[in-house]
Amino acid sequence: MIDLNTLRYFTSAFETGTFSQAARANGVSQPTVSVAIQKLEEKLRAPLFLRSKTGLTPTPLARRLYQDAE
């Protein structure tokens, strides 16, 4: 089962394209969001985002998880 806060962080990151903006939207620090997403990826045994200096690109798994979360 996915923690509700982690799901919020994930959906915010998906929608905003950055962990920093997702953190601001949820009133937490950027490392909090980053660590939560990393733990979720470990649980799922697959990456959710391709990370770059310009932002995040959702993987196909992230797109499916986002649709389910809606």
Side-chain angles (χ1 to χ4, degrees), residues 2-70:
I2 300 173
D3 176 67
L4 185 56
N5 285 328
T6 299
L7 192 56
R8 272 192 218 121
Y9 303 156
F10 165 75
T11 57
S12 292
F14 188 95
E15 292 168 354
T16 64
T18 70
F19 290 156
S20 296
Q21 289 180 2
R24 279 192 290 278
N26 287 280
V28 297
S29 69
Q30 183 273 335
T32 298
V33 172
S34 181
V35 168
I37 298 297
Q38 286 176 332
K39 287 181 180 179
L40 179 57
E41 289 174 326
E42 289 171 9
K43 183 182 254 186
L44 297 173
R45 296 184 179 159
L48 292 169
F49 297 104
L50 302 176
R51 294 149 171 89
S52 71
K53 292 184 182 199
T54 58
L56 304 170
T57 303
T59 63
L61 176 60
R63 288 186 194 98
R64 284 193 305 267
L65 181 58
Y66 182 79
Q67 287 175 342
D68 290 345
E70 289 186 307

